[in-house]
């Protein structure tokens, strides 16, 4: 009888431990590790995205441009985006295929739909005599922050993507 009581107590303890572990796993699953929104202004975040690109390797006359209802189609290919704010980083010289755009979406926006629309509709040949290949367009997100990278140079493109991933 004593042996059966001990085994029964061990089984109850094991069940409690199993339930606790399932609760922990469920908690991590529902909190979604990659869905946290990135904090900071778009200017600050753009600076971080370019942190590993030395000045001499950046396009000439690189500057940030606020994306608004007047120019959104030029930078993202569509105006049908539920966004709060956006910032583009492009060269002031029109013959350099280099565009990085950060878009902060409104709460509740359909991120996947926005990314798909950008990837499908953005013009990879919007510059004078230069462009990027469609397969080299990068569109990804971290929470409600979406980045579009259209950069001709593969090394720079990879550094920008990695910096975004590390935000």
């Amino acid at each position: 009888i004593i042996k059966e009581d001990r085994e029964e107590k061990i089984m109850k303890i094991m069940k409690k431990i199993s339930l606790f572990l399932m609760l922990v796993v469920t908690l991590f699953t529902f909190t979604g590790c990659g869905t946290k929104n990135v904090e900071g202004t778009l200017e600050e975040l753009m600076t971080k995205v370019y942190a590993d690109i030395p000045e001499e390797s950046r396009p000439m006359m690189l500057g940030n441009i606020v994306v608004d209802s007047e120019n959104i189609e030029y930078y993202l290919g569509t105006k049908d985006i539920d966004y709060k704010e956006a910032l583009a980083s492009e060269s002031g010289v029109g013959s350099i295929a280099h565009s990085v755009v950060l878009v902060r979406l409104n709460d509740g926006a359909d991120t996947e739909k926005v990314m798909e629309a950008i990837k499908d509709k953005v013009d990879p040949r919007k510059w004078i005599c230069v462009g990027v290949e469609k397969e080299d367009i990068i569109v990804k997100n971290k929470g409600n922050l979406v980045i579009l990278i259209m950069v001709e140079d593969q090394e720079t493109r990879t550094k920008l993507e990695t910096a975004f991933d590390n935000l």
Side-chain angles (χ1 to χ4, degrees):
I1 293 178
I2 294 174
K3 184 178 177 183
E4 288 177 8
D5 282 345
R6 185 184 307 171
E7 287 178 2
E8 190 175 311
K9 286 181 181 180
I10 290 173
M11 289 301 290
K12 285 182 179 181
I13 291 172
M14 294 298 285
K15 284 182 181 179
K16 287 180 182 179
I17 291 172
S18 294
L19 284 171
F20 176 74
L21 290 174
M22 286 177 22
L23 178 67
V24 169
V25 169
T26 302
L27 180 66
F28 279 114
T29 301
F30 285 121
T31 56
C33 298
T35 61
K36 184 179 177 194
N37 290 334
V38 180
E39 299 296 321
T41 68
L42 293 184
E43 290 83 6
E44 293 167 343
L45 297 173
M46 192 69 81
T47 299
K48 290 178 181 180
V49 167
Y50 278 96
D52 290 337
I53 313 289
E55 279 295 325
E56 61 274 6
S57 297
R58 296 179 186 183
M60 292 187 317
M61 300 172 46
L62 186 68
N64 290 338
I65 302 106
V66 173
V67 176
D68 58 26
S69 61
E70 299 295 315
N71 62 15
I72 191 168
E73 286 186 86
Y74 176 75
Y75 293 108
L76 297 173
T78 180
K79 61 182 175 184
D80 298 326
I81 296 175
D82 185 14
Y83 74 107
K84 188 178 296 182
E85 59 181 339
L87 185 70
S89 175
E90 291 202 0
S91 172
V93 178
S95 60
I96 298 174
H98 184 101
S99 182
V100 177
V101 185
L102 290 173
V103 183
R104 190 178 314 269
L105 302 178
N106 283 317
D107 294 336
D110 186 338
T111 307
E112 293 299 320
K113 184 178 174 185
V114 168
M115 292 190 313
E116 184 179 311
I118 292 170
K119 184 109 179 177
D120 288 345
K121 296 181 180 180
V122 72
D123 181 4
R125 300 213 44 88
K126 67 181 186 175
W127 305 277
I128 301 169
C129 300
V130 295
V132 298
E133 297 301 319
K134 196 80 167 161
E135 61 268 11
D136 292 333
I137 297 172
I138 297 168
V139 181
K140 58 189 340 182
N141 77 299
K142 288 193 85 153
N144 70 346
L145 186 66
V146 174
I147 192 167
L148 163 64
I149 303 171
M150 288 197 307
V151 175
E152 191 172 26
D153 177 62
Q154 181 180 351
E155 182 180 346
T156 301
R157 193 171 55 242
T158 301
K159 285 182 179 181
L160 292 166
E161 181 178 14
T162 300
F164 180 78
D165 290 341
N166 292 330
L167 288 178

